Amino acid sequence: ELEDIVWFGTDNEIESLEIHMSLAVPYVFGCQTEETGLFQTQYADGIMGLGMFPTSLIYASYIAGSIPRYSFSMCLTKTNGSLNLGGTALSFHSPALLLKEKKNGYNKELGHHLEPMRYTPLLSDEGLFSIQVTAVYVGNIHITQDKKILSHFQSKKKPTIIDSGTTDVFLPAGSKEAFSDAWTSISTIEYANANRIYTWEEYLNLPDITFVLKDDVYWTITPAHYMEGVVSKKTGEEWIARKEDESKMLHNRIYLDEPDGTVLGSLAMINHDILFDIEGKRIGLARAVC
């Protein structure tokens, strides 16, 4: 382990040194001494955990007074995003307000919420960010009317968690039959995670997946988020099967093999501003332009 002063910066080195360094805090961290092959293609400098632990950099920043509240938010797209410390930097802009601000030179492409943020309680004040799922819909089909199926999403040993460090979404194996049947009845395509060629019409028929959280917070994942284009090894670009009808090779990134509980990874977070309000013991959620 080492201790040094650490702060969050940007790609602008001068800005990071002159402005952000004022928010530096003393921080103890571990050093990598061995590579085991877990990350085979990702050349990362390290991993920074954001969980509710006294060893996290978020907690260290809060205790040192560098951020005003023990919270942070993440707003992700498929290619980039933002991390805001101490809360969220985004707010809701109604259509009327957007029109008014546009006249005053406001750029609507800047990050903002597309709806008021709603809140669901955290189930714990330490460890991972666990939340309570009260219902799950595949398209308009409610697959958790059976309490036994719903119980797999609410396991006390492993509840539903939000984890930006996981790329995909993992649903409990106990929901596989109900989920697959609903999927097939809507899309007429058998559910699978293998690479498959989809026509544009087939893609348009794929269902949204909606999680209803405690206090009636709705979290919807669209096919644009969970279907990933397969990249050709030859060209390095997404593989198009037939250009004449815009067919593409896609891969479904929602997996139905979690023993219990659910993992909502980063693909579920796309185009949402997620507020991890640890101090307030709640999660905030709003669809957003990130």
Side-chain angles (χ1 to χ4, degrees):
E1 291 184 345
L2 293 176
E3 180 174 330
D4 202 346
I5 57 169
V6 179
W7 69 95
F8 292 89
T10 68
D11 290 337
N12 187 322
E13 186 174 346
I14 295 176
E15 179 185 86
S16 295
L17 289 172
E18 294 183 351
I19 300 176
H20 295 274
M21 190 177 177
S22 63
L23 301 176
V25 298
Y27 187 64
V28 176
F29 56 93
C31 295
Q32 178 174 301
T33 59
E34 180 183 2
E35 289 190 4
T36 61
L38 179 61
F39 297 100
Q40 297 180 12
T41 59
Q42 179 180 328
Y43 296 98
D45 295 324
I47 297 176
M48 182 184 70
L50 297 174
M52 295 180 287
F53 298 97
T55 52
S56 77
L57 187 52
I58 301 294
Y59 183 74
S61 298
Y62 172 66
I63 291 298
S66 293
I67 58 176
R69 185 176 177 86
Y70 187 21
S71 66
F72 67 95
S73 67
M74 301 181 74
C75 199
L76 303 178
T77 70
K78 277 197 170 184
T79 57
N80 52 41
S82 63
L83 171 67
N84 295 294
L85 307 181
T88 176
L90 307 185
S91 58
F92 174 56
H93 294 257
S94 66
L97 181 59
L98 279 176
L99 182 62
K100 180 179 179 181
E101 292 180 336
K102 183 178 180 181
K103 294 178 180 178
N104 296 327
Y106 175 78
N107 181 1
K108 70 175 183 178
E109 297 304 321
L110 295 176
H112 61 271
H113 292 164
L114 297 172
E115 60 187 0
M117 181 168 275
R118 302 194 68 179
Y119 301 92
T120 190
L122 282 166
L123 298 182
S124 174
D125 57 2
E126 62 180 3
L128 301 175
F129 295 100
S130 55
I131 53 178
Q132 183 177 346
V133 171
T134 59
V136 180
Y137 289 83
V138 176
N140 61 355
I141 300 176
H142 184 188
I143 69 165
T144 52
Q145 287 181 314
D146 184 333
K147 291 184 179 180
K148 185 177 180 180
I149 297 176
L150 181 61
S151 69
H152 292 291
F153 290 87
Q154 299 177 339
S155 168
K156 291 183 179 180
K157 291 183 178 180
K158 191 175 181 183
T160 295
I161 64 169
I162 307 171
D163 182 15
S164 63
T166 297
T167 304
D168 304 323
V169 168
F170 295 88
L171 304 187
S175 68
K176 183 175 182 178
E177 183 177 354
F179 188 101
S180 300
D181 289 348
W183 169 282
T184 301
S185 70
I186 294 171
S187 67
T188 69
I189 296 172
E190 185 177 351
Y191 191 86
N193 295 110
N195 295 345
R196 184 189 186 280
I197 295 174
Y198 291 81
T199 65
W200 179 243
E201 184 178 356
E202 287 176 327
Y203 175 79
L204 291 178
N205 286 331
L206 296 178
D208 292 345
I209 311 301
T210 300
F211 299 89
V212 184
L213 311 179
K214 187 175 181 181
D215 293 341
D216 288 327
V217 176
Y218 284 70
W219 188 340
T220 298
I221 309 171
T222 70
H225 302 154
Y226 66 76
M227 298 299 290
E228 181 180 57
V230 177
V231 176
S232 168
K233 292 182 179 179
K234 291 183 179 180
T235 65
E237 298 178 352
E238 290 188 2
W239 198 84
I240 298 177
R242 295 184 300 274
K243 292 185 179 180
E244 59 270 20
D245 60 0
E246 298 184 2
S247 296
K248 292 184 68 174
M249 181 82 78
L250 300 174
H251 188 94
N252 187 336
R253 302 300 293 265
I254 297 180
Y255 297 89
L256 310 176
D257 55 3
E258 196 72 5
D260 253 332
T262 297
V263 180
L264 297 174
S266 59
L267 74 79
M269 301 171 68
I270 293 173
N271 295 342
H272 290 83
D273 188 28
I274 314 290
L275 173 64
F276 298 84
D277 185 9
I278 305 166
E279 188 171 335
K281 298 181 180 180
R282 61 182 184 171
I283 292 291
L285 180 73
R287 290 183 301 108
V289 175
C290 296

